[in-house]
Amino acid sequence: MASTTTTAKEIASEFLPRIRIYKDGTVERLLGSPYVPPSPHDPQTRVSSKDFTFSHNPNISARLYLPNVPQNQTQKLPVLVYFHGGAFCIESAFSFLFHRYLNRLVSEAQVIAVSVEYRLAPENPLPIAYEDCWVALQWVTSHANNEELDDNKEPWLLNYGDFDRLYIGGDSAGGNIAHNVAMKVGAESLSGAVKILGAFLSHSFFWGSKPIGSEPKGEDFEKTMEYKVWDFVYPSAPGGIDNPMANPAGEGAPSLAGLGCSKLLVCVAGKDRLRDRGVWYCDLVRESGWKGQVELFEVEGEEHCFHILSETETENVKKMIKRLASFLV
């Protein structure tokens, strides 16, 4: 009787607990919520969603959300371009956690949301995610002052989008992306001469080579997940962890006075290890001479991205969603 043998794939490297990379080039994601389809009518929030691919080379898509509006409504809605979290290497615009979160936020805020499906590291290391999100923002703003529907235009944005009330925002890695996109908007123009009214940065990933506040000291600092993740997702970053995209005060960083929006909401959570960086970032913006309005919003006693991870709408989750919604007006 012939024996059968199973050849186990050899592991090349690991970034635990998130990712395992094999020598044959395949990547296994060990964390992350499952993908869910869009919903024409979410039963809890009555928000509609659909997916749209706006770039084919490279392939970049988004999930769009529309609140429950009367069919004959002519009043336009604010537009939010949203960047999901997940350490630049896990999760998706199509994953359960962010789908549920965007349904809640869109229902409360009454905005159209475009959640960008940017490409992930390590298959697509940074700065690719930043580039994809810039392409997505330019695609969204191409709908301004343009009533003609073509194959690369989206009817919800054409019919309901108020581009005088355009926002960007993100959580965790997505908050970092929102910052870097806002800096790029300040240096370059958007299609349709559109301006960004506001940006929210929630529990955002910022780091650096020197600890601040309550962050671990000495050798323990270089062992932190935040320190390691940057090298994993952007191994060629000039300046390493002090690259301005991770450390807005790093060597050669452009002045935060160049942020390309009119108002900024920075959200932190009391038990989040990124909390002190969020407060520090807010202070940097205030000290930079930036002409906009900046506000810090803290929910005490909560962990990183609690408002996304929580299965139930606790009082603090409701508080967080309401604050974001009141910003998006």
Side-chain angles (χ1 to χ4, degrees):
M1 183 174 174
S3 63
T4 57
T5 57
T6 303
T7 304
K9 291 205 295 185
E10 287 190 71
I11 297 170
S13 63
E14 293 179 311
F15 179 54
L16 298 176
R18 291 173 172 83
I19 281 181
R20 182 173 289 133
I21 305 170
Y22 295 93
K23 288 186 177 177
D24 66 2
T26 57
V27 175
E28 181 184 7
R29 287 180 165 80
L30 308 172
L31 286 182
S33 57
Y35 281 28
V36 293
S39 169
H41 210 66
D42 177 66
Q44 275 77 45
T45 62
R46 303 176 74 192
V47 169
S48 302
S49 55
K50 61 180 172 181
D51 298 340
F52 193 94
T53 300
F54 53 85
S55 170
H56 294 278
N57 186 23
N59 192 279
I60 316 172
S61 55
R63 179 159 293 178
L64 288 90
Y65 296 82
L66 182 70
N68 185 41
V69 293
Q71 290 220 334
N72 60 352
Q73 175 167 320
T74 56
Q75 184 179 349
K76 302 272 187 165
L77 302 172
V79 177
L80 167 66
V81 180
Y82 178 77
F83 313 117
H84 71 81
F88 305 99
C89 60
I90 59 172
E91 293 294 352
S92 162
F94 309 138
S95 62
F96 166 74
L97 286 175
F98 288 97
H99 183 74
R100 179 179 65 186
Y101 171 50
L102 267 294
N103 276 330
R104 289 173 175 172
L105 181 56
V106 165
S107 175
E108 182 70 32
Q110 293 292 292
V111 298
I112 300 173
V114 179
S115 182
V116 181
E117 178 68 348
Y118 56 85
R119 289 172 289 169
L120 300 177
E123 301 96 321
N124 299 282
L126 293 178
I128 286 175
Y130 298 125
E131 294 162 0
D132 287 356
C133 291
W134 179 253
V135 170
L137 181 60
Q138 290 279 25
W139 171 73
V140 170
T141 60
S142 74
H143 292 74
N145 311 313
N146 189 339
E147 302 300 325
E148 292 183 19
L149 182 62
D150 60 41
D151 289 345
N152 207 36
K153 292 290 189 294
E154 208 299 308
W156 286 356
L157 289 171
L158 286 175
N159 296 334
Y160 295 105
D162 178 356
F163 289 93
D164 289 328
R165 292 185 290 168
L166 174 66
Y167 294 85
I168 61 173
D171 292 86
S172 193
N176 173 285
I177 293 173
H179 158 75
N180 283 295
V181 168
M183 291 299 295
K184 191 172 175 72
V185 170
E188 302 180 25
S189 59
L190 289 168
S191 52
V194 175
K195 306 292 184 189
I196 292 180
L197 180 55
F200 74 80
L201 278 59
S202 170
H203 307 179
S204 300
F205 172 82
F206 295 116
W207 212 244
S209 60
K210 295 190 171 90
I212 63 168
S214 61
E215 293 168 2
K217 305 296 189 288
E219 289 183 5
D220 289 340
F221 183 67
E222 293 188 13
K223 295 176 183 175
T224 58
M225 186 63 70
E226 292 82 2
Y227 207 102
K228 291 176 180 176
V229 71
W230 186 251
D231 187 52
F232 179 74
V233 300
Y234 198 175
S236 67
I241 193 64
D242 283 323
N243 182 281
M245 288 180 151
N247 178 2
E251 186 176 348
S255 169
L256 296 178
L259 280 164
C261 55
S262 299
K263 59 179 187 171
L264 183 67
L265 177 65
V266 179
C267 302
V268 297
K271 291 184 177 179
D272 183 5
R273 188 151 69 182
L274 292 173
R275 183 240 175 225
D276 290 351
R277 289 280 164 178
V279 175
W280 166 82
Y281 172 81
C282 201
D283 290 340
L284 284 179
V285 173
R286 286 184 174 132
E287 293 162 7
S288 72
W290 181 60
K291 302 299 184 188
Q293 298 176 321
V294 58
E295 180 185 348
L296 179 71
F297 178 71
E298 178 168 8
V299 180
E300 296 181 356
E302 293 289 358
E303 304 280 355
H304 185 67
C305 289
F306 72 94
H307 56 296
I308 298 170
L309 299 169
S310 175
E311 292 184 16
T312 58
E313 282 197 274
T314 65
E315 285 306 307
N316 275 346
V317 170
K318 290 177 183 174
K319 180 180 177 183
M320 180 74 178
I321 298 284
K322 283 183 181 297
R323 182 65 196 92
L324 292 172
S326 66
F327 178 74
L328 301 171
V329 294

